[in-house]
Amino acid sequence: MMSEDNEELYQKPPSIFQMLKSFSGEALKHIANKGRNVSKEDYADRLDACNSCEHLIKKHMRCGLCGCLVQFKAKWETTTCPDEPQRWKKQIIASDEKE
């Protein structure tokens, strides 16, 4: 049981339906992008941003806004941070580049 003093610190995760919807959408974009990942440096920067974010559910390492597991979402080139303003730098997606 949570004490009333700590109740405001608890972040309720998104519903299972919302997490599945979010993750499956991100996974489809990642697959369509041929499974490309960000650089090791960008991945580390993204994880650092997530670790300092008030929305992170640290117990499960899930984003409290979208419900995704940050270890996967932060790695994929096509994903973005769901917070406003975004905490991750914009990636140049290979399909966005001029041939």
Side-chain angles (χ1 to χ4, degrees):
M1 194 87 182
M2 187 180 341
S3 76
E4 288 183 26
D5 295 337
N6 294 331
E7 192 169 338
E8 73 279 355
L9 300 175
Y10 176 73
Q11 172 138 9
K12 184 178 179 182
S15 69
I16 294 294
F17 176 75
Q18 182 57 45
M19 284 190 270
L20 286 171
K21 181 180 172 187
S22 178
F23 183 78
S24 62
E26 296 292 355
L28 287 173
K29 287 190 285 184
H30 180 61
I31 291 166
N33 191 45
K34 300 178 180 161
R36 292 183 183 101
N37 292 326
V38 297
S39 69
K40 289 179 183 179
E41 294 80 14
D42 285 347
Y43 181 59
D45 289 345
R46 285 179 169 201
L47 290 179
D48 286 345
C50 290
N51 279 319
S52 64
C53 179
E54 70 272 9
H55 301 294
L56 178 66
I57 302 170
K58 290 188 180 191
K59 179 179 178 182
H60 303 290
M61 290 306 288
R62 285 191 181 276
C63 174
L65 297 175
C66 67
C68 289
L69 291 165
V70 297
Q71 69 188 36
F72 297 111
K73 184 169 182 157
K75 192 177 285 187
W76 298 347
E77 187 180 71
T78 53
T79 58
T80 57
C81 172
D83 202 7
E84 288 296 327
Q86 288 195 25
R87 298 170 182 270
W88 300 347
K89 79 176 188 180
K90 182 169 173 44
Q91 296 290 308
I92 298 173
I93 308 300
S95 62
D96 291 346
E97 295 173 354
K98 295 185 179 176
E99 303 290 325

